[in-house]
Amino acid sequence: MTDLPHAHPPHDAGGRFDGPVQREEHDAAHWEKEADAIRMLLSDGRRRLFTTDESRRVQEQLDAATYWAMPYYERWILAFSSLVVEKGLLPEATLLAEEARLRTEGLDRVEGEPAGAHHHDHDHDHDDHPYQADHDATEDTLSPLRLRGVAVRNLLLAKGVLTAAEIRAEIERMDARGPHNGAALVTRAWTDADFAARLAEDAVAAAAELGLDAAGTKLAALFNTPARHHLVVCTLCSCYPRSILGRPPAWYKSRAYRARAVRDPRGILAEFGTTLPPGTELRVHDSNAELRYLVVPARPAGTEGWDASRLANLVTRDSMIGVTLARSP
């Protein structure tokens, strides 16, 4: 397979690059969760200030070097800060003035112990936010885009577009989502053939049976079998069944994974320690803003008679993306 023409925008990574997948992970820092929450709230059904496509447009206009050098959530800050100015919600001069105020008052500094619960002491209206150690824990000054994110947040709170309680609730809502929800679907499908059929037919409705809200996007369940294995990627961005599995891992959003999952899927599996039996068909599914996928891994042999809680321990996030199999008993 040859590389795509250079005219393709930088986010269109499928098949374009090689390199190992860097699988190191860190818990999302508060500023990342907050950027996530603000973006979701501004585009929710009540506000509808912009669409996913508009958010992508801002990011896709970046040149390749800038796009790939910019941290994932900083790209989100770039998108929503640009769009609130573009749509006249916040004048650019007002945004620049707030950034200048933050710098003047020293609020562009990262203070305290990286892993501690330091709280900034200032009198404008927002929640305390401990700085959480992660990949940028050694930084002592907010990057320009992280500072812009703080400025946008402050101004949106002041205008009443968002409230601190809404941002906190959105963060908590996403924090509560995770692979345990997907594992509940998988184990129910393993033990209830009728439910498995309903999950295959309408995954959103099947999730609702277990009290899981997957509405808002189409969710498809992909069932692995001894003859067929499914692998999920998003070559254009980071589309992922967040409503079921929570936030995607860093490697899922990486250029290497997004490119090689369609170009060298068996090589990707090998990096995760997965070797399929000879003759197994491998299907790669490219997620998008409208359609997300959940892989239902094959039930391991030797688990007959196990209850749901015991089976759930065999189901991992990575097996529901398709880069690994379910754990062996």
Side-chain angles (χ1 to χ4, degrees), residues 113-130:
E113 294 298 324
H118 170 80
H119 301 289
H120 296 293
D121 294 320
H122 39 73
D123 57 8
H124 54 279
D125 177 26
H126 64 74
D127 304 308
D128 290 337
H129 41 278

Side-chain angles (χ1 to χ4, degrees), residues 47-289:
R47 297 172 183 85
R48 300 180 185 274
L49 291 172
F50 54 80
T51 65
T52 297
D53 286 340
E54 288 177 304
S55 176
R56 283 180 171 172
R57 168 176 56 80
V58 175
Q59 300 176 58
E60 291 161 15
Q61 290 174 341
L62 297 169
D63 62 86
T66 302
Y67 179 90
W68 290 112
M70 190 178 293
Y72 176 79
Y73 285 105
E74 288 199 9
R75 293 201 299 266
W76 282 31
I77 293 172
L78 172 69
F80 69 64
S81 64
S82 299
L83 289 166
V84 295
V85 171
E86 177 183 310
K87 293 177 178 291
L89 183 62
L90 296 178
E92 185 172 11
T94 301
L95 183 53
L96 292 173
E98 175 62 8
E99 290 177 358
R101 183 191 72 81
L102 291 169
R103 291 190 186 95
T104 298
E105 297 185 14
L107 300 177
D108 62 337
R109 308 292 294 176
V110 176
E111 302 172 355
E113 294 298 324
H118 170 80
H119 301 289
H120 296 293
D121 294 320
H122 39 73
D123 57 8
H124 54 279
D125 177 26
H126 64 74
D127 304 308
D128 290 337
H129 41 278
Y131 181 71
Q132 178 177 343
D134 65 357
H135 62 292
D136 54 6
T138 60
E139 295 180 2
D140 59 9
T141 303
L142 298 181
S143 70
L145 277 171
R146 284 183 60 183
L147 182 67
R148 173 149 291 202
V150 175
V152 169
R153 182 190 195 276
N154 291 348
L155 294 171
L156 292 176
L157 292 178
K159 288 177 68 69
V161 176
L162 302 177
T163 67
E166 286 178 315
I167 294 173
R168 181 172 58 250
E170 179 64 22
I171 291 173
E172 291 172 351
R173 185 174 73 94
M174 187 54 63
D175 281 347
R177 294 174 171 177
H180 61 283
N181 291 328
L185 289 172
V186 171
T187 56
R188 177 69 178 273
W190 282 352
T191 57
D192 184 338
D194 289 338
F195 179 82
R198 295 195 297 274
L199 182 63
E201 177 68 24
D202 186 342
V204 173
E209 293 183 34
L210 302 189
L212 301 175
D213 181 10
T217 188
K218 183 174 177 57
L219 178 67
L222 307 169
F223 287 73
N224 283 350
T225 69
R228 179 179 297 163
H229 184 90
H230 298 280
L231 176 68
V232 179
V233 66
C234 178
T235 60
L236 297 181
C237 184
S238 58
C239 294
Y240 184 79
R242 292 161 55 98
S243 59
I244 298 298
L245 299 184
R247 300 180 185 90
W251 57 260
Y252 182 85
K253 302 174 287 188
S254 71
R255 179 171 66 178
Y257 182 77
R258 287 162 55 185
R260 289 182 51 225
V262 294
R263 184 175 192 168
D264 180 26
R266 292 182 189 273
I268 288 287
L269 293 183
E271 289 186 24
F272 282 81
T274 304
T275 302
L276 301 179
T280 302
E281 178 188 7
L282 175 56
R283 292 190 177 183
V284 179
H285 302 264
D286 200 350
S287 298
N288 56 52

